[in-house]
Amino acid sequence: FSGPFTDVVTTNLKLRNPSDRKVCFKVKTTAPRRYCVRPNSGIIDPGSSVIVSVMLQPFDYDPNEKSKHKFMVQTTYAPPNISDMEAVWKEAKPDELMDSKLRCVFEMPNENDKLNDIDASKPAPVLNTSKQDGPMPKPHSVSLNDTETRKLVEECKRLQAEIMKLTDENRHLRDEGLRLRKVAHSDKSGSPAALALRDNGSNCLPSLLVVIAAIFIGFFLGKFIV
């Protein structure tokens, strides 16, 4: 019997009949108040076996006290037409009885076994899948992102103001070009080549300013989106 003995401890006893006749069995103990045996008697058919459960009642275990408890399994061939088991044992002759004696041994688990049992009884840790994976961002990193965002917004506003300014200048240059073309048409002494050169120069400058402004605003807007 393996402790601790603070609760009922059960061990099983297997009885096998190797003969070709039915066998009656009975289980006896020197401490009947300390044990509960089920079944404590019965019949085993030829070649069959029976499991007997021996239940030790709780008690205060003393490792220095040696166990004196013993069991005896008594058997005899079953007579034909059995009607009363008690009569079989009373009428059986001593030379017809067979018995096997067993001594009880109490064992307490060692400390390593206790630790293993405790670890096995602990529930497995459950992961909280509702939490985000990975480390949480630190507060100062959030403030840095906000500061960077504000800088990008201010830079975007500044670029928008520059675009509006360049648009006004482009409109002013376009009006100036139209005025110069009118003056050139009205000036009969003007050369056609010189007139074409002035028109091309007036048209290229505003377009170049618009291209430069588009490159800058695309660069900063792309950085802000990323």
Side-chain angles (χ1 to χ4, degrees):
F1 298 91
S2 298
F5 303 101
T6 57
D7 201 354
V8 177
V9 180
T10 303
T11 186
N12 292 326
L13 180 65
K14 184 177 182 181
L15 305 180
R16 186 174 64 88
N17 179 11
S19 68
D20 55 355
R21 297 173 57 183
K22 291 184 177 181
V23 172
C24 297
F25 74 91
K26 179 187 291 187
V27 181
K28 298 180 178 181
T29 179
T30 57
R33 295 184 179 180
R34 300 286 293 275
Y35 300 92
C36 181
V37 182
R38 292 291 183 274
N40 59 356
S41 63
I43 300 176
I44 307 176
D45 293 331
S48 299
S49 60
V50 172
I51 300 298
V52 178
S53 297
V54 182
M55 291 163 279
L56 173 63
Q57 303 304 309
F59 71 102
D60 294 331
Y61 173 70
D62 185 0
N64 297 323
E65 181 181 355
K66 293 184 180 181
S67 173
K68 298 180 181 180
H69 299 170
K70 295 180 182 180
F71 278 82
M72 183 176 67
V73 180
Q74 198 171 40
T75 59
T76 185
Y77 287 116
N81 301 324
I82 301 176
S83 59
D84 188 359
M85 287 292 297
E86 292 297 329
V88 171
W89 295 109
K90 289 179 180 180
E91 296 174 0
K93 297 179 181 180
D95 57 351
E96 296 177 347
L97 298 177
M98 297 165 283
D99 58 70
S100 298
K101 296 180 180 181
L102 303 171
R103 184 174 60 87
C104 296
V105 177
F106 301 143
E107 292 182 351
M108 288 292 290
N110 55 38
E111 295 299 327
N112 292 333
D113 293 339
K114 290 182 180 179
L115 292 177
N116 293 334
D117 293 340
I118 293 174
D119 293 338
S121 63
K122 288 183 179 179
V126 179
L127 295 178
N128 190 353
T129 56
S130 62
K131 294 183 179 180
Q132 296 180 352
D133 295 334
M136 295 294 293
K138 296 180 179 179
H140 69 272
S141 62
V142 176
S143 62
L144 288 177
N145 290 335
D146 292 340
T147 303
E148 189 69 21
T149 302
R150 286 195 297 270
K151 289 182 180 180
L152 290 175
V153 172
E154 293 175 358
E155 187 67 22
C156 184
K157 291 181 179 180
R158 189 184 66 80
L159 289 175
Q160 289 176 353
E162 290 290 337
I163 290 175
M164 293 178 64
K165 182 178 179 181
L166 291 174
T167 302
D168 293 338
E169 292 180 358
N170 187 22
R171 188 182 300 108
H172 176 72
L173 290 174
R174 191 183 304 130
D175 294 341
E176 185 68 19
L178 291 174
R179 189 183 66 80
L180 290 175
R181 276 199 295 271
K182 290 180 181 180
V183 172
H185 283 297
S186 62
D187 189 3
K188 295 181 180 180
S189 62
S191 173
L195 179 60
L197 182 61
R198 287 196 299 270
D199 290 341
N200 290 334
S202 63
N203 289 332
C204 291
L205 182 59
S207 300
L208 180 61
L209 293 175
V210 172
V211 169
I212 294 173
I215 291 173
F216 274 101
I217 190 63
F219 173 77
F220 282 101
L221 288 178
K223 182 178 180 183
F224 175 70
I225 293 172
V226 173

mmCIF file of all heavy atoms in Angstrom, residues 30-31 35 65-71 103-104 106:
data_model
loop_
_atom_site.group_PDB
_atom_site.id
_atom_site.type_symbol
_atom_site.label_atom_id
_atom_site.label_comp_id
_atom_site.label_asym_id
_atom_site.label_seq_id
_atom_site.Cartn_x
_atom_site.Cartn_y
_atom_site.Cartn_z
ATOM 1 N N THR A 30 -5.609 -10.428 9.336
ATOM 2 C CA THR A 30 -5.403 -10.335 10.780
ATOM 3 C C THR A 30 -5.931 -9.029 11.350
ATOM 4 O O THR A 30 -5.971 -8.863 12.566
ATOM 5 C CB THR A 30 -3.906 -10.459 11.094
ATOM 6 O OG1 THR A 30 -3.187 -9.437 10.390
ATOM 7 C CG2 THR A 30 -3.376 -11.828 10.674
ATOM 8 N N ALA A 31 -6.312 -8.081 10.488
ATOM 9 C CA ALA A 31 -6.855 -6.789 10.945
ATOM 10 C C ALA A 31 -8.125 -6.490 10.164
ATOM 11 O O ALA A 31 -8.138 -5.630 9.269
ATOM 12 C CB ALA A 31 -5.820 -5.684 10.769
ATOM 13 N N TYR A 35 -9.345 -3.145 7.027
ATOM 14 C CA TYR A 35 -9.423 -3.426 5.599
ATOM 15 C C TYR A 35 -10.850 -3.783 5.204
ATOM 16 O O TYR A 35 -11.615 -4.341 5.992
ATOM 17 C CB TYR A 35 -8.489 -4.588 5.213
ATOM 18 C CG TYR A 35 -7.041 -4.321 5.513
ATOM 19 C CD1 TYR A 35 -6.496 -4.705 6.739
ATOM 20 C CD2 TYR A 35 -6.220 -3.694 4.591
ATOM 21 C CE1 TYR A 35 -5.161 -4.458 7.029
ATOM 22 C CE2 TYR A 35 -4.891 -3.450 4.871
ATOM 23 C CZ TYR A 35 -4.373 -3.829 6.095
ATOM 24 O OH TYR A 35 -3.047 -3.600 6.378
ATOM 25 N N GLU A 65 7.034 2.169 12.875
ATOM 26 C CA GLU A 65 6.251 1.005 13.286
ATOM 27 C C GLU A 65 6.199 -0.008 12.145
ATOM 28 O O GLU A 65 5.785 0.313 11.023
ATOM 29 C CB GLU A 65 4.831 1.430 13.664
ATOM 30 C CG GLU A 65 3.957 0.272 14.130
ATOM 31 C CD GLU A 65 2.560 0.715 14.464
ATOM 32 O OE1 GLU A 65 2.308 1.948 14.421
ATOM 33 O OE2 GLU A 65 1.708 -0.144 14.756
ATOM 34 N N LYS A 66 6.638 -1.213 12.395
ATOM 35 C CA LYS A 66 6.616 -2.262 11.382
ATOM 36 C C LYS A 66 5.221 -2.859 11.275
ATOM 37 O O LYS A 66 4.545 -3.067 12.275
ATOM 38 C CB LYS A 66 7.618 -3.361 11.744
ATOM 39 C CG LYS A 66 9.076 -2.904 11.673
ATOM 40 C CD LYS A 66 10.010 -4.066 11.943
ATOM 41 C CE LYS A 66 11.474 -3.619 11.867
ATOM 42 N NZ LYS A 66 12.407 -4.728 12.099
ATOM 43 N N SER A 67 4.815 -3.112 10.039
ATOM 44 C CA SER A 67 3.482 -3.650 9.806
ATOM 45 C C SER A 67 3.438 -5.137 10.173
ATOM 46 O O SER A 67 4.306 -5.922 9.784
ATOM 47 C CB SER A 67 3.100 -3.475 8.335
ATOM 48 O OG SER A 67 1.879 -4.126 8.074
ATOM 49 N N LYS A 68 2.424 -5.488 10.937
ATOM 50 C CA LYS A 68 2.207 -6.886 11.310
ATOM 51 C C LYS A 68 0.933 -7.435 10.672
ATOM 52 O O LYS A 68 0.516 -8.549 10.995
ATOM 53 C CB LYS A 68 2.117 -7.008 12.834
ATOM 54 C CG LYS A 68 3.391 -6.589 13.555
ATOM 55 C CD LYS A 68 3.228 -6.732 15.062
ATOM 56 C CE LYS A 68 4.493 -6.295 15.786
ATOM 57 N NZ LYS A 68 4.363 -6.421 17.271
ATOM 58 N N HIS A 69 0.352 -6.646 9.764
ATOM 59 C CA HIS A 69 -0.886 -7.090 9.129
ATOM 60 C C HIS A 69 -0.574 -8.139 8.070
ATOM 61 O O HIS A 69 0.369 -8.007 7.288
ATOM 62 C CB HIS A 69 -1.617 -5.907 8.486
ATOM 63 C CG HIS A 69 -2.001 -4.849 9.471
ATOM 64 N ND1 HIS A 69 -2.484 -3.628 9.094
ATOM 65 C CD2 HIS A 69 -1.979 -4.836 10.835
ATOM 66 C CE1 HIS A 69 -2.752 -2.898 10.171
ATOM 67 N NE2 HIS A 69 -2.434 -3.619 11.237
ATOM 68 N N LYS A 70 -1.409 -9.180 8.046
ATOM 69 C CA LYS A 70 -1.231 -10.257 7.084
ATOM 70 C C LYS A 70 -2.573 -10.644 6.483
ATOM 71 O O LYS A 70 -3.631 -10.428 7.073
ATOM 72 C CB LYS A 70 -0.599 -11.481 7.761
ATOM 73 C CG LYS A 70 0.820 -11.249 8.255
ATOM 74 C CD LYS A 70 1.368 -12.510 8.918
ATOM 75 C CE LYS A 70 2.770 -12.274 9.466
ATOM 76 N NZ LYS A 70 3.319 -13.494 10.113
ATOM 77 N N PHE A 71 -2.481 -11.197 5.264
ATOM 78 C CA PHE A 71 -3.653 -11.728 4.575
ATOM 79 C C PHE A 71 -3.405 -13.205 4.253
ATOM 80 O O PHE A 71 -2.256 -13.628 4.050
ATOM 81 C CB PHE A 71 -3.923 -10.969 3.272
ATOM 82 C CG PHE A 71 -4.678 -9.683 3.461
ATOM 83 C CD1 PHE A 71 -4.017 -8.520 3.841
ATOM 84 C CD2 PHE A 71 -6.039 -9.638 3.281
ATOM 85 C CE1 PHE A 71 -4.703 -7.352 4.024
ATOM 86 C CE2 PHE A 71 -6.737 -8.467 3.464
ATOM 87 C CZ PHE A 71 -6.080 -7.318 3.846
ATOM 88 N N ARG A 103 1.996 -10.678 3.382
ATOM 89 C CA ARG A 103 2.266 -9.687 4.428
ATOM 90 C C ARG A 103 2.117 -8.289 3.839
ATOM 91 O O ARG A 103 2.600 -7.999 2.744
ATOM 92 C CB ARG A 103 3.682 -9.869 4.973
ATOM 93 C CG ARG A 103 4.018 -8.928 6.137
ATOM 94 C CD ARG A 103 5.398 -9.281 6.718
ATOM 95 N NE ARG A 103 6.446 -9.145 5.719
ATOM 96 C CZ ARG A 103 7.088 -7.986 5.475
ATOM 97 N NH1 ARG A 103 6.774 -6.900 6.164
ATOM 98 N NH2 ARG A 103 8.036 -7.944 4.566
ATOM 99 N N CYS A 104 1.463 -7.418 4.591
ATOM 100 C CA CYS A 104 1.228 -6.048 4.128
ATOM 101 C C CYS A 104 2.484 -5.199 4.287
ATOM 102 O O CYS A 104 3.191 -5.298 5.296
ATOM 103 C CB CYS A 104 0.071 -5.406 4.897
ATOM 104 S SG CYS A 104 -1.508 -6.210 4.626
ATOM 105 N N PHE A 106 3.705 -1.076 3.909
ATOM 106 C CA PHE A 106 3.301 0.316 3.737
ATOM 107 C C PHE A 106 4.505 1.115 3.241
ATOM 108 O O PHE A 106 5.593 1.039 3.805
ATOM 109 C CB PHE A 106 2.798 0.915 5.057
ATOM 110 C CG PHE A 106 1.614 0.172 5.620
ATOM 111 C CD1 PHE A 106 1.473 -0.012 6.991
ATOM 112 C CD2 PHE A 106 0.651 -0.344 4.782
ATOM 113 C CE1 PHE A 106 0.383 -0.694 7.505
ATOM 114 C CE2 PHE A 106 -0.443 -1.030 5.283
ATOM 115 C CZ PHE A 106 -0.573 -1.202 6.654
#
